[in-house]
């Protein structure tokens, strides 16, 4: 065992510089691994780690094929229960990242009981479709409850009723006209049988979780196209995150009204796709959402990086990350929960700048921390091996 030299992504959030420009060697979705919010100490929650390089309070060791990090002070010790619940859109129905979170935490030595659905609409415990990941046999064995509404935006989970919607199908919200049609780009043709998912209903399920993961806002900004129909034609800047932040707050506060000890993890929005590779950078947008949630108790913002000029997206489900992207996203949640002192054990992760885009997997077997960071590799039977996209 020894001290791990931690990457800058694990250092205090406020000390981090603005992400590098869009097309650096590594495209950064957001510059940090987690934001643990202000005020937690006063409410009985553990304070976030002030992690620094060579932090002797963090121990590294080998656990089977993995290299792990351990800390003594955390909400859930190894062997304890971690109940995961997901709230999202198609990324929870057509991708594996939520299931990879459950698999990874289980391998770290935690018990993973299944959260009960309690009759909540549109819940499943497995994706409806996934790419064929190299570790798909393992992934297919886990179950993780989720409510997933393809095409929906964050405001579909933010309101208790449709009573304030006018005859044209809009409600007034933060000075804007916001569509009451919950579906892809607020198009009535894509509205399903459920008009909305009430935050109180979601919260009644989430209260029995230890960690609720929110990825229900990834469509908020594609909802601006075409013609800004979600806002009755009003143009909202791509840097304006106010509607998203307030919608997320309404759901987060409903969850914490039911159980203030639930850790809410808000996922960053993944980069936009141009075919199989990165085509758009949303780092400024992610930073705005992160900042807007900074005062929410017991809330963590999980951020991640995708390597530039590498196949990270599906073609069969356009715009969605493939198996590689899913593994990066899942690892980011583990890293965020460790950094926020929720988990006492996490994955040892190498320097993003040196490891994330490294594709020489066989050469990383001597550096499992780097392999565990690399988007194009994975650890299997103690060796670093290539990780495919899951799609031919």
């Amino acid at each position: 065992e020894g001290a791990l030299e931690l990457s800058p992504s694990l250092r205090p959030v406020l000390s981090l510089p603005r992400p590098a420009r869009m097309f650096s060697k590594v495209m950064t979705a957001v510059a940090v691994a987690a934001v643990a919010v202000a005020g937690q100490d006063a409410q009985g929650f553990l304070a976030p780690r002030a992690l620094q390089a060579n932090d002797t309070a963090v121990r590294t060791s080998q656990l089977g094929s993995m290299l792990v990090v351990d800390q003594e002070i955390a909400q859930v010790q190894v062997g304890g229960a971690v109940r995961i619940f997901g709230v999202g859109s198609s990324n929870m129905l057509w991708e594996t990242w939520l299931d990879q979170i459950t698999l990874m935490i289980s391998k770290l030595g935690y018990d993973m009981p299944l959260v009960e659905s309690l009759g909540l609409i549109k819940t499943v415990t497995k994706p409806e479709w996934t790419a064929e990941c190299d570790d798909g046999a393992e992934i297919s064995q886990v179950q993780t409850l989720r409510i997933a509404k393809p095409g929906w935006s964050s405001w579909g989970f933010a309101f208790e009723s449709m009573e304030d919607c006018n005859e044209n199908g809009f409600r007034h919200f933060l000075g804007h006209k916001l569509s009451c049609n919950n579906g892809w780009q607020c198009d009535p043709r894509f509205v399903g049988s459920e008009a909305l998912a009430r935050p109180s209903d979601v919260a009644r399920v989430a209260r029995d979780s230890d960690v609720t993961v929110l990825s229900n806002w990834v469509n908020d900004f594609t909802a601006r196209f075409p013609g800004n129909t979600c806002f009755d034609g009003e143009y909202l800047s791509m840097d304006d995150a106010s509607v998203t932040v307030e919608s997320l707050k309404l759901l987060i506060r409903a969850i914490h009204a039911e159980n203030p000890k639930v850790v809410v993890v808000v996922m960053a929005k993944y980069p936009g796709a141009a075919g199989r590779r990165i085509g758009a950078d949303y780092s400024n947008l992610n930073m705005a959402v992160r900042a807007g949630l900074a005062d929410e108790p017991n809330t963590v913002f999980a951020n991640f990086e995708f390597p530039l000029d590498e196949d990270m997206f599906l073609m069969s489900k356009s715009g969605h990350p493939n198996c590689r992207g899913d593994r990066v996203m899942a690892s980011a949640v583990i890293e965020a929960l460790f950094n926020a002192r929720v988990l006492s054990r996490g994955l040892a992760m190498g320097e993003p700048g040196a490891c994330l885009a490294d594709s020489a997997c066989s050469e990383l077997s001597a550096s499992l921390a780097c392999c565990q960071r690399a988007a194009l590799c994975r650890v299997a039977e103690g060796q670093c091996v290539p990780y495919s996209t899951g799609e031919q």
Side-chain angles (χ1 to χ4, degrees):
E1 296 187 357
L4 173 67
E5 184 172 349
L6 295 164
S7 70
S9 65
L10 289 177
R11 296 173 188 164
V13 168
L14 296 180
S15 69
L16 288 165
R18 186 181 178 120
R21 59 189 177 89
M22 179 175 174
F23 292 113
S24 59
K25 175 59 180 174
V26 175
M27 173 79 75
T28 303
V30 182
V32 297
V35 174
V37 298
Q40 291 192 176
D41 286 343
Q43 300 190 31
F45 301 117
L46 293 169
R49 290 191 59 82
L51 293 180
Q52 302 291 340
N54 299 315
D55 187 345
T56 56
V58 176
R59 302 179 306 279
T60 62
S61 62
Q62 192 89 19
L63 177 67
S65 294
M66 302 181 297
L67 191 66
V68 301
V69 286
D70 285 279
Q71 58 186 352
E72 292 184 2
I73 301 175
Q75 291 184 34
V76 187
Q77 299 295 315
V78 173
V82 182
R83 300 168 181 84
I84 304 287
F85 175 51
V87 181
S89 56
S90 56
N91 63 67
M92 288 189 180
L93 286 180
W94 302 338
E95 295 180 44
T96 66
W97 65 271
L98 187 67
D99 308 276
Q100 291 201 45
I101 293 171
T102 298
L103 179 61
M104 289 178 182
I105 295 178
S106 176
K107 285 186 172 183
L108 289 171
Y110 294 91
D111 186 24
M112 305 297 294
L114 184 65
V115 176
E116 294 185 11
S117 66
L118 303 179
L120 182 64
I121 61 169
K122 199 61 178 181
T123 55
V124 294
T125 60
K126 291 177 178 289
E128 292 180 351
W129 178 95
T130 68
E132 297 182 4
C133 300
D134 295 344
D135 49 353
E138 286 186 299
I139 296 171
S140 68
Q141 296 303 307
V142 303
Q143 296 186 77
T144 311
L145 187 70
R146 70 208 73 187
I147 174 172
K149 302 291 290 182
W152 280 34
S153 299
S154 60
W155 48 83
F157 303 84
F159 299 101
E160 290 294 330
S161 76
M162 309 289 278
E163 292 180 358
D164 58 343
C165 298
N166 63 25
E167 65 276 9
N168 296 318
F170 290 90
R171 56 164 52 95
H172 290 278
F173 188 62
L174 302 181
H176 306 290
K177 292 180 182 179
L178 181 62
S179 178
C180 296
N181 291 321
N182 291 313
W184 177 246
Q185 296 181 342
C186 304
D187 190 324
R189 294 175 298 175
F190 300 119
V191 174
S193 58
E194 299 89 14
L196 77 171
R198 294 178 178 83
S200 60
D201 292 339
V202 176
R204 278 192 287 272
V205 175
R207 71 184 176 191
D208 293 327
S209 70
D210 299 289
V211 176
T212 290
V213 183
L214 304 184
S215 186
N216 62 329
W217 68 279
V218 295
N219 294 319
D220 285 19
F221 294 85
T222 50
R224 286 159 164 73
F225 309 106
N228 298 294
T229 54
C230 290
F231 306 102
D232 198 22
E234 178 189 2
Y235 172 76
L236 271 67
S237 166
M238 287 295 288
D239 292 329
D240 184 351
S242 59
V243 173
T244 295
V245 168
E246 192 61 28
S247 296
L248 289 171
K249 283 182 177 180
L250 289 170
L251 179 55
I252 292 168
R253 290 172 182 178
I255 293 169
H256 284 154
E258 290 284 345
N259 184 354
K261 293 185 178 181
V262 174
V263 177
V264 176
V265 177
V266 179
M267 293 295 295
K269 177 176 172 62
Y270 38 77
R276 298 181 185 275
R277 301 186 178 189
I278 293 173
D281 177 25
Y282 295 123
S283 58
N284 287 342
L285 173 61
N286 283 318
M287 291 178 72
V289 173
R290 182 204 74 183
L293 298 174
D295 293 328
E296 292 302 306
N298 221 24
T299 302
V300 173
F301 195 84
N303 307 269
F304 50 88
E305 305 166 345
F306 282 179
L308 187 64
D309 295 330
E310 298 291 350
D311 289 357
M312 298 296 295
F313 294 92
L314 296 166
M315 292 300 290
S316 54
K317 299 292 185 182
S318 179
H320 292 79
N322 58 29
C323 296
R324 293 169 173 173
D326 286 348
R327 198 174 70 82
V328 170
M329 293 170 66
S331 298
V333 173
I334 308 302
E335 192 171 27
L337 291 173
F338 181 82
N339 193 30
R341 293 186 185 270
V342 177
L343 299 180
S344 64
R345 175 174 291 166
L347 292 169
M349 305 284 280
E351 183 78 30
C355 302
L356 185 66
D358 198 330
S359 60
C361 303
S362 62
E363 298 177 9
L364 298 181
S365 293
S367 177
L368 292 183
C370 198
C371 183
Q372 289 173 171
R373 174 74 70 180
L376 279 67
C377 307
R378 71 180 180 111
V379 177
E381 298 181 357
Q383 299 296 310
C384 190
V385 298
Y387 195 48
S388 72
T389 65
E391 187 176 59
Q392 297 298 323

